[in-house]
Amino acid sequence: MPFTAPASVLTVMAHPDDAELWAGGTLARCSASGAAVTIAVPRHTEPGRDTEAAAGAAILGATLYQYDQPTVARVRELLIAVRPEVVITHPLRDVHAEHRALAETLVAALPGVVIATGHPRRVYTADSYNSLALDGAIPAHTVIDITDTYEQKQRALGAHPSQPITDHFGPMAETLARLWGGRIGVRHAENFVPLPILGRLPAALTI
Amino acid sequence: MPFTAPASVLTVMAHPDDAELWAGGTLARCSASGAAVTIAVPRHTEPGRDTEAAAGAAILGATLYQYDQPTVARVRELLIAVRPEVVITHPLRDVHAEHRALAETLVAALPGVVIATGHPRRVYTADSYNSLALDGAIPAHTVIDITDTYEQKQRALGAHPSQPITDHFGPMAETLARLWGGRIGVRHAENFVPLPILGRLPAALTI
Amino acid sequence: MPFTAPASVLTVMAHPDDAELWAGGTLARCSASGAAVTIAVPRHTEPGRDTEAAAGAAILGATLYQYDQPTVARVRELLIAVRPEVVITHPLRDVHAEHRALAETLVAALPGVVIATGHPRRVYTADSYNSLALDGAIPAHTVIDITDTYEQKQRALGAHPSQPITDHFGPMAETLARLWGGRIGVRHAENFVPLPILGRLPAALTI
Amino acid sequence: MPFTAPASVLTVMAHPDDAELWAGGTLARCSASGAAVTIAVPRHTEPGRDTEAAAGAAILGATLYQYDQPTVARVRELLIAVRPEVVITHPLRDVHAEHRALAETLVAALPGVVIATGHPRRVYTADSYNSLALDGAIPAHTVIDITDTYEQKQRALGAHPSQPITDHFGPMAETLARLWGGRIGVRHAENFVPLPILGRLPAALTI
Amino acid sequence: MPFTAPASVLTVMAHPDDAELWAGGTLARCSASGAAVTIAVPRHTEPGRDTEAAAGAAILGATLYQYDQPTVARVRELLIAVRPEVVITHPLRDVHAEHRALAETLVAALPGVVIATGHPRRVYTADSYNSLALDGAIPAHTVIDITDTYEQKQRALGAHPSQPITDHFGPMAETLARLWGGRIGVRHAENFVPLPILGRLPAALTI
Amino acid sequence: MPFTAPASVLTVMAHPDDAELWAGGTLARCSASGAAVTIAVPRHTEPGRDTEAAAGAAILGATLYQYDQPTVARVRELLIAVRPEVVITHPLRDVHAEHRALAETLVAALPGVVIATGHPRRVYTADSYNSLALDGAIPAHTVIDITDTYEQKQRALGAHPSQPITDHFGPMAETLARLWGGRIGVRHAENFVPLPILGRLPAALTI
């Protein structure tokens, strides 16, 4: 069945390589299908990380949006500025405390923005290290076929040479892409779990 | 976003009014969108129930398929004969023992048929009494907007006058349709949960 | 079986209409049965909200207790001043960040107060938007029949005309009251989930 | 708060000592409060077990109801004959296969009987070995204070000398009674989890 | 830390290649460490499958034990004959109905055998298709490093040429071995979940 | 099977008696087996509590490490100074807010320290009041036989006379030790649940 890209997608994650690692294949698939894709990242203290982020975003066909501190007020501004149809963030029970903190910040900003602007329409959390959260394995929900953009995802990851891509994140991304791919019968996939916004979840487009 | 109907849908449920009650709005929406919809029901011992089943199916735009005993062999034949893209059944932990038994029978028949024919592609369980299963509330997953076919669903339910529709099932169907509708921001909806077939789940069509 | 009201109930929730929306029928039933009911709400910045809160509380037969900032110290004072048998708050995994924050504040204040005063004896969380929390559907636990006080609940909600009651909260409250009502076989009900206080849960009064 | 005994309680469990072990304190408390308590047990092949069952039931103030094979038809007859307000059985995911089988048989018999007779009104599952089921620890729900009937429970257990009471079941019953007691702040307690009957759960008598 | 092999391990699974696929690396590691490893498989109707089973078992250093029908009585005999320290079977909520049936049969046989013989001491369920069970992702518990025996596992799988090893099971086994390996920081691993026997779980050997 | 002590264990808990209460038997068993055991506690405001902590630690064969405020920076220093193989903390969903806060602080400090030093290798959460967390009963995972060190644990608890040991914590510790003991078939035990560190869990030493 055909993939329907949303009009726009925004990732709100903690580090310069997170969007590539946890959602890169889906972002590339969205931008290839015409979606406006924005990767928002707090500016990093280590020199070079921001340049890597720009390179990674370019490979995925995404716009990089850098900002200073991920406060609730700042994330609210971000959401109002980008007005995305879809937002992707980290699991609320992610094993990494900075991931959890950013997801909490986003979730705190959401109700007010949604009431004021009607956007985003849908919010998802992405995968995490070895597909484990603090309360167990990440559940399968919205599994996106990324077979056609998997190489692009790995190239975007490769744009972060300051990180342990070759040893760690590249192989882990391969394992997770194969795992989720196997779960929907394709070569490579990524998984996302919807987060209720004031009690609302995404409607299904088919059964 | 637009609804994409599958080519064909088959319900494998226990009683003559189950398809109407748990999936009627979605079946009507599928048939209105061009899907071949089949409602399979074991022949009932009470006179009149089969006639009601035929009337209900007609209102939903579905073909009624009646058979004798829901054995694994018989359900296998059914699946091979209909070759549906999608199958809908009861929750495996349904509160009604006959619902559970039929779902178990279907699940026992599935692997062999899928390996032999490649169909069905996707299997879902539907809702149950007051959206409760034996292990708790039915989780939200694939929530289908049935606002446009809700009246059709209630009419199809009304085709079962031997059952306590006015007092019980009609109001319960209304409450559940409103509950799921509220959860995706529309007036009425129905919820379905995918069942893995040999480890495979449905791929998402969008994010 | 007969309803036994506690001697006193205190709601510790985030906004002026929360007590009405999530527990209004039960509060009215408690006050009608002789319980001292107190609704504690942080003072609101929008003019008029506090007046609405007073009107809503009056309709439910409750005393309104307004305070400034919901800090741990302030909630501790509140608990010591009211010394309630039962406290009701939001789910700890509520979809609304301000609900979560207030519930966390209460939970932080509880152990010290309980050790010092022996009160409250029981703590419950109430329902949330479309009965969904961040980790899924709210589980059924202590389901209270509010058939006799349902109209009172809707009138108390109606005392908040600054809020989207007619379009949103009123119909949602109706759907949830019907859902929980159906789950215990009455017309309307509300659901509460006990929260352990230092490892202690409410004892059951019957089986 | 005062304990309100139901008019009648029936246990439907697998072995002659199960009612004593998993619900003995509550049964004694119910019968002391005026409830008609019936313990139904399939006749046992080992000589002496039935005599032990009679002795145990007598200590708890219960009537022993012995029957041959726990088939669905036979359990249906039992339910119609006793017409209990409350039924207690084993967890559906009990670690003991014979416990699971009996609970499944009961659950299969229930819907028809409830539709026909309106009884039982409530169904609960009891505790199991070390409070573990196949899917994890038994969740706390309806925790009954049995401090006053704990000695009676241990004596009823002692009426089964063919079983390893002194070494095994007696100490385990003590540990579980202390565990559940601690969880509601009394010396000894027993825990029960309601099972939905056609989507209906027990209403709460207080909050 | 050093691996401590049990004295003996028995797999009780449904098909000739199941032991290899779901536990092959661990079985090889156990037999290499001196454990007596037995693979029990019901005789298969397809010619050649039994020969493949023998070849697979040989590669893993295991004894093949073939029997006719997996009835409770037959599995009881098997357990008494082998008297294993550890038994491994399928998940009780496996996606494959024949896997579930065999696991249920084993679980029904266990209590009597354990009471009579004291063996097995520990029972585990293994992984399943894409690490999904009917109720979600298989939880991490006892994760065994199989880096040193991973090639042996793949060779044992290769001893089943009648099955879709190259296309399906080989790559899936690789993905799962990498997934579990990543979760404990080694190259390849397998995961097992303990099943309580009459309320008893394995004790931990370290923290 | 033999117990293998880690080289070193560090508890990072909130109050002077927490290590004794939730992990005392395991700490004593570790130190008796040659592990370097450190109990880290924030200095307490009440006079005498620190002296009690020193006495309790001595009875368990542990070194007491006192520090001022449990900030992320301070816990990071602690982890780097002690460089433990194993860390034990409170459940992240502990019923006590100060327990949760300390566990969150530890979890926030972990990723950076583990990336920098490779230690700790494993992190566990311990038990809590009546074995209940905010989201239900604590699940069984790594259950350690403490039969030989149970008396030592109770004596170490007794070194905190400012606390309600005789009435409360002593009996609760006995009940929990019996519960976990029963679950692995010994007299007394303690339970621990591993926490993933950047997606990594402990490898199993046996099956």
Side-chain angles (χ1 to χ4, degrees):
Chain A
M1 289 186 132
F3 179 74
T4 306
S8 49
V9 187
L10 167 70
T11 61
V12 183
M13 293 181 167
H15 308 106
D17 56 350
D18 279 327
E20 288 86 335
L21 186 50
W22 309 120
T26 298
L27 297 179
R29 193 165 181 199
C30 284
S31 72
S33 305
V37 176
T38 307
I39 294 173
V41 198
R43 269 190 198 85
H44 206 275
T45 52
E46 290 176 29
R49 296 292 304 266
D50 288 355
T51 316
E52 292 178 358
I59 292 169
L60 299 176
T63 304
L64 183 67
Y65 183 112
Q66 290 182 305
Y67 59 107
D68 289 324
Q69 289 296 330
T71 60
V72 171
R74 198 61 198 79
V75 169
R76 189 180 293 130
E77 284 173 26
L78 164 66
L79 292 171
I80 287 169
V82 177
R83 209 183 156 87
E85 183 173 336
V86 171
V87 164
I88 303 175
T89 188
H90 298 290
L92 285 164
R93 304 284 290 155
D94 197 285
V95 292
H96 196 304
E98 293 171 28
H99 291 190
R100 283 201 304 286
L102 199 49
E104 278 292 339
T105 303
L106 171 75
V107 165
L110 272 176
V113 174
V114 170
I115 288 170
T117 72
H119 284 73
R121 301 249 187 237
R122 305 188 287 286
V123 178
Y124 294 88
T125 58
D127 213 343
S128 188
Y129 295 91
N130 297 318
S131 210
L132 285 180
L134 285 174
D135 44 6
I138 305 274
H141 197 289
T142 297
V143 190
I144 304 281
D145 180 356
I146 63 160
T147 305
D148 292 348
T149 55
Y150 172 73
E151 292 305 329
Q152 219 171 327
K153 171 180 182 159
Q154 285 285 4
R155 266 191 295 123
L157 266 180
H160 295 267
S162 72
Q163 299 304 297
I165 303 299
T166 314
D167 294 359
H168 266 81
F169 293 160
M172 181 176 74
E174 187 191 345
T175 302
L176 294 181
R178 287 177 57 162
L179 176 72
W180 292 111
R183 284 172 172 177
I184 58 168
V186 303
R187 191 174 296 270
H188 295 115
E190 286 170 346
N191 177 58
F192 302 91
V193 179
L195 211 57
I197 314 178
L198 294 174
R200 288 203 188 160
L201 290 165
L205 296 195
T206 191
I207 187 165
Chain B
M1 288 187 132
F3 179 72
T4 305
S8 49
V9 187
L10 167 69
T11 62
V12 184
M13 294 180 166
H15 307 105
D17 56 350
D18 279 326
E20 288 86 335
L21 186 49
W22 310 120
T26 299
L27 296 180
R29 194 167 180 198
C30 284
S31 71
S33 305
V37 176
T38 306
I39 294 173
V41 198
R43 269 192 198 83
H44 206 275
T45 52
E46 291 176 28
R49 296 293 304 269
D50 289 355
T51 316
E52 293 178 358
I59 291 169
L60 299 176
T63 302
L64 182 67
Y65 182 112
Q66 290 182 303
Y67 60 107
D68 289 324
Q69 289 297 330
T71 60
V72 171
R74 200 60 199 80
V75 168
R76 190 180 293 130
E77 284 173 25
L78 165 66
L79 292 170
I80 288 169
V82 177
R83 207 183 156 88
E85 183 173 336
V86 171
V87 165
I88 303 176
T89 188
H90 298 291
L92 285 165
R93 304 286 289 156
D94 197 286
V95 291
H96 197 304
E98 293 170 29
H99 291 190
R100 284 201 304 285
L102 197 51
E104 278 293 338
T105 303
L106 171 75
V107 165
L110 272 175
V113 174
V114 170
I115 288 170
T117 71
H119 284 73
R121 302 249 187 236
R122 306 188 287 286
V123 178
Y124 294 87
T125 58
D127 213 343
S128 189
Y129 295 90
N130 297 319
S131 210
L132 285 180
L134 285 174
D135 45 6
I138 306 275
H141 197 289
T142 296
V143 190
I144 304 282
D145 180 356
I146 62 159
T147 305
D148 292 349
T149 54
Y150 172 72
E151 292 305 330
Q152 218 171 326
K153 171 180 182 159
Q154 284 286 2
R155 265 191 296 124
L157 266 179
H160 295 267
S162 71
Q163 300 303 297
I165 303 298
T166 314
D167 294 359
H168 266 82
F169 294 159
M172 181 177 75
E174 187 191 346
T175 302
L176 295 181
R178 287 177 60 162
L179 177 72
W180 292 111
R183 284 171 172 177
I184 59 169
V186 304
R187 192 174 293 272
H188 295 115
E190 286 170 346
N191 177 57
F192 302 90
V193 179
L195 211 55
I197 313 177
L198 294 174
R200 288 202 187 161
L201 290 164
L205 295 194
T206 190
I207 187 165
Chain C
M1 289 187 133
F3 179 73
T4 306
S8 49
V9 187
L10 167 69
T11 61
V12 184
M13 294 181 166
H15 308 107
D17 55 351
D18 278 327
E20 288 86 334
L21 185 50
W22 309 120
T26 298
L27 296 180
R29 193 166 181 199
C30 284
S31 71
S33 306
V37 176
T38 307
I39 294 174
V41 198
R43 269 192 198 84
H44 206 275
T45 52
E46 289 176 30
R49 296 293 304 269
D50 288 355
T51 314
E52 293 177 359
I59 292 169
L60 299 175
T63 303
L64 183 67
Y65 182 112
Q66 290 182 304
Y67 59 107
D68 288 325
Q69 288 297 331
T71 60
V72 171
R74 199 61 198 78
V75 168
R76 189 181 293 131
E77 284 174 26
L78 164 66
L79 293 171
I80 288 169
V82 177
R83 208 183 156 87
E85 184 173 335
V86 171
V87 165
I88 303 176
T89 188
H90 298 291
L92 285 164
R93 305 285 289 157
D94 196 285
V95 292
H96 196 303
E98 293 171 28
H99 291 189
R100 285 201 304 285
L102 198 50
E104 278 292 337
T105 303
L106 171 75
V107 165
L110 273 175
V113 174
V114 171
I115 288 170
T117 72
H119 284 74
R121 301 248 187 238
R122 307 188 286 286
V123 178
Y124 294 88
T125 58
D127 212 344
S128 189
Y129 295 90
N130 298 319
S131 210
L132 285 180
L134 285 174
D135 44 6
I138 306 275
H141 197 290
T142 297
V143 189
I144 305 281
D145 180 355
I146 63 160
T147 305
D148 292 348
T149 55
Y150 172 73
E151 292 305 329
Q152 219 171 327
K153 172 180 181 159
Q154 285 285 2
R155 267 191 295 123
L157 265 180
H160 295 267
S162 73
Q163 299 305 297
I165 303 298
T166 314
D167 295 359
H168 265 81
F169 294 159
M172 182 176 75
E174 187 191 345
T175 301
L176 294 181
R178 288 176 57 161
L179 176 72
W180 292 111
R183 285 172 172 176
I184 59 169
V186 303
R187 191 174 294 272
H188 295 115
E190 287 170 345
N191 176 58
F192 302 90
V193 179
L195 211 56
I197 313 177
L198 294 173
R200 288 203 188 159
L201 291 165
L205 295 195
T206 191
I207 187 164
Chain D
M1 290 186 130
F3 179 73
T4 306
S8 49
V9 187
L10 167 69
T11 61
V12 184
M13 294 181 166
H15 307 106
D17 56 350
D18 279 327
E20 288 86 335
L21 186 49
W22 309 120
T26 299
L27 296 180
R29 193 166 181 199
C30 284
S31 71
S33 305
V37 176
T38 307
I39 294 174
V41 198
R43 268 191 199 84
H44 206 276
T45 52
E46 289 176 30
R49 296 293 302 271
D50 288 354
T51 315
E52 293 177 357
I59 293 170
L60 299 175
T63 303
L64 183 67
Y65 183 112
Q66 289 182 304
Y67 59 107
D68 288 325
Q69 289 297 330
T71 60
V72 171
R74 199 62 199 80
V75 169
R76 190 180 293 131
E77 283 173 25
L78 164 67
L79 293 171
I80 288 169
V82 177
R83 208 183 157 89
E85 183 173 336
V86 171
V87 165
I88 304 176
T89 188
H90 298 291
L92 286 164
R93 304 286 288 156
D94 197 285
V95 292
H96 197 303
E98 293 170 28
H99 291 189
R100 284 202 305 286
L102 198 51
E104 279 292 338
T105 303
L106 171 75
V107 165
L110 272 175
V113 175
V114 170
I115 288 170
T117 71
H119 283 75
R121 302 249 186 236
R122 306 189 287 286
V123 179
Y124 294 87
T125 58
D127 213 344
S128 190
Y129 295 91
N130 297 319
S131 211
L132 285 180
L134 285 174
D135 45 6
I138 306 274
H141 196 289
T142 296
V143 190
I144 304 281
D145 180 355
I146 62 159
T147 304
D148 291 349
T149 55
Y150 173 72
E151 292 304 330
Q152 218 171 328
K153 171 179 182 159
Q154 284 286 2
R155 266 191 295 124
L157 266 179
H160 295 267
S162 73
Q163 299 304 297
I165 304 297
T166 314
D167 295 359
H168 265 81
F169 294 159
M172 182 176 76
E174 187 192 345
T175 302
L176 295 181
R178 288 176 58 161
L179 177 72
W180 292 111
R183 284 172 172 176
I184 59 168
V186 303
R187 192 175 294 272
H188 295 116
E190 287 170 346
N191 177 57
F192 302 90
V193 178
L195 211 56
I197 313 177
L198 294 174
R200 288 202 187 160
L201 291 165
L205 295 195
T206 191
I207 187 165
Chain E
M1 289 186 132
F3 180 73
T4 306
S8 49
V9 187
L10 167 69
T11 61
V12 183
M13 294 181 166
H15 308 106
D17 56 351
D18 278 327
E20 288 86 334
L21 185 50
W22 309 119
T26 298
L27 296 180
R29 194 166 180 199
C30 284
S31 72
S33 304
V37 176
T38 307
I39 294 174
V41 197
R43 270 192 199 84
H44 206 275
T45 52
E46 290 176 29
R49 295 295 302 270
D50 288 354
T51 316
E52 293 177 358
I59 291 169
L60 299 176
T63 303
L64 182 67
Y65 183 111
Q66 290 182 304
Y67 59 108
D68 289 324
Q69 289 296 330
T71 60
V72 171
R74 199 61 198 81
V75 169
R76 188 180 295 129
E77 283 173 26
L78 164 67
L79 292 171
I80 288 168
V82 177
R83 210 183 155 87
E85 183 173 337
V86 172
V87 164
I88 304 176
T89 188
H90 298 290
L92 285 165
R93 304 286 289 155
D94 197 285
V95 291
H96 196 304
E98 293 170 28
H99 291 190
R100 283 201 305 285
L102 198 50
E104 279 291 338
T105 303
L106 170 75
V107 164
L110 272 175
V113 175
V114 170
I115 287 170
T117 72
H119 283 73
R121 302 248 187 238
R122 305 189 288 285
V123 178
Y124 295 88
T125 58
D127 214 343
S128 188
Y129 295 91
N130 297 319
S131 211
L132 285 180
L134 285 174
D135 46 6
I138 306 274
H141 196 288
T142 297
V143 190
I144 304 281
D145 180 354
I146 62 160
T147 305
D148 292 348
T149 55
Y150 173 72
E151 292 305 330
Q152 218 171 326
K153 171 180 182 159
Q154 285 285 3
R155 265 192 296 124
L157 266 179
H160 295 268
S162 73
Q163 300 303 297
I165 304 298
T166 314
D167 294 0
H168 266 81
F169 293 159
M172 182 176 75
E174 186 191 346
T175 301
L176 294 181
R178 287 176 59 161
L179 177 72
W180 292 112
R183 284 171 172 176
I184 59 168
V186 304
R187 192 174 294 270
H188 295 116
E190 286 170 346
N191 178 56
F192 302 90
V193 179
L195 211 56
I197 313 178
L198 293 174
R200 287 202 188 161
L201 291 165
L205 295 195
T206 190
I207 187 166
Chain F
M1 288 186 132
F3 179 74
T4 306
S8 49
V9 187
L10 167 69
T11 62
V12 184
M13 294 181 166
H15 309 105
D17 56 351
D18 279 327
E20 288 85 337
L21 185 50
W22 310 119
T26 299
L27 295 180
R29 194 166 180 198
C30 284
S31 71
S33 304
V37 176
T38 307
I39 294 173
V41 198
R43 270 192 198 82
H44 206 274
T45 52
E46 291 176 27
R49 296 292 304 266
D50 288 355
T51 315
E52 293 178 359
I59 291 169
L60 300 176
T63 303
L64 183 67
Y65 183 112
Q66 291 183 302
Y67 60 107
D68 289 324
Q69 289 296 331
T71 60
V72 172
R74 198 61 199 79
V75 169
R76 190 180 293 129
E77 284 173 25
L78 165 66
L79 292 171
I80 288 169
V82 177
R83 207 183 157 90
E85 183 174 335
V86 171
V87 165
I88 303 176
T89 188
H90 299 291
L92 285 164
R93 304 284 291 156
D94 198 285
V95 292
H96 196 304
E98 293 171 28
H99 291 189
R100 284 202 303 286
L102 198 50
E104 279 292 338
T105 303
L106 171 75
V107 165
L110 272 176
V113 174
V114 170
I115 288 170
T117 71
H119 284 73
R121 302 250 187 235
R122 306 189 286 286
V123 178
Y124 294 88
T125 58
D127 213 343
S128 190
Y129 295 90
N130 297 319
S131 211
L132 285 180
L134 286 174
D135 45 7
I138 305 274
H141 197 290
T142 296
V143 189
I144 304 281
D145 181 355
I146 63 160
T147 305
D148 292 349
T149 55
Y150 172 73
E151 292 305 329
Q152 218 171 327
K153 172 180 182 159
Q154 285 285 3
R155 266 192 295 124
L157 266 179
H160 295 267
S162 72
Q163 300 304 298
I165 304 297
T166 314
D167 295 359
H168 266 81
F169 294 159
M172 181 176 75
E174 188 191 344
T175 301
L176 295 181
R178 288 177 57 161
L179 176 72
W180 292 111
R183 285 172 172 176
I184 59 169
V186 303
R187 191 174 295 270
H188 295 116
E190 286 170 346
N191 176 58
F192 303 90
V193 178
L195 211 56
I197 314 177
L198 294 174
R200 288 202 188 160
L201 291 164
L205 295 195
T206 191
I207 187 165

